[in-house]
Amino acid sequence: MSSTQLSFMETEVTNDCEVFAHLIISVPATYTADQIRQSIEQFGADHGADLVLLGLARQAADAPETLDVVFYGPRAPYSFRQAWPGWKFGFTDWNKGGPLLDYGVNHLSGSQAPFTVPISIQAVLLSCPSPRGT
């Protein structure tokens, strides 16, 4: 199991966290809630993230067979607290998707597929030298 954690709350990002990747993550409809969480945590860990901050979710435009990740920058890491512009990346691709979906902590565990359609999730990878909550 990775030590990378998922969060939906910007308030959980510590002052020393730096954003180093903007992403749209697409997940097949067949993935269980546990598979979605574990896949995203493992992807984050494999890329050096301490924290994966998740934004909105919507029905995906395509139907991936496995976790599909598209990177949208940034050119250089930046301080989340000092320079976070919000979820303003990848709109050309993001807007191709279907309706917004309720994706939150209530969909992070379980052996059932939480959606009947593939989903796309906004995400950023962060490096955070201090433990969360400090």
Side-chain angles (χ1 to χ4, degrees):
M1 184 68 160
S2 73
S3 62
T4 299
Q5 296 182 353
L6 296 182
S7 179
F8 292 95
M9 299 181 58
E10 293 178 14
T11 56
E12 291 187 4
V13 179
T14 59
N15 290 337
D16 60 346
C17 288
E18 288 193 333
V19 174
F20 64 90
H22 300 151
L23 314 168
I24 294 179
I25 301 171
S26 296
V27 181
T30 57
Y31 273 29
T32 67
D34 288 338
Q35 286 176 301
I36 293 170
R37 186 192 74 255
Q38 291 167 0
S39 296
I40 294 172
E41 286 175 346
Q42 189 61 55
F43 180 85
D46 290 349
H47 288 83
D50 298 304
L51 178 67
V52 180
L53 183 64
L54 301 175
L56 294 176
R58 73 180 326 150
Q59 183 175 340
D62 298 318
E65 293 183 23
T66 61
L67 189 81
D68 182 52
V69 179
V70 179
F71 287 84
Y72 296 94
R75 292 178 191 237
Y78 63 87
S79 167
F80 181 85
R81 288 284 170 228
Q82 295 176 1
W84 173 240
W87 302 101
K88 298 179 181 180
F89 55 85
F91 276 120
T92 300
D93 294 328
W94 179 253
N95 289 334
K96 293 177 186 175
L100 292 176
L101 301 170
D102 172 26
Y103 184 67
V105 294
N106 57 325
H107 290 107
L108 285 180
S109 65
S111 59
Q112 300 292 320
F115 301 102
T116 59
V117 296
I119 62 170
S120 291
I121 307 161
Q122 298 169 313
V124 293
L125 300 182
L126 297 108
S127 172
C128 305
S130 297
R132 284 181 22 184
T134 61

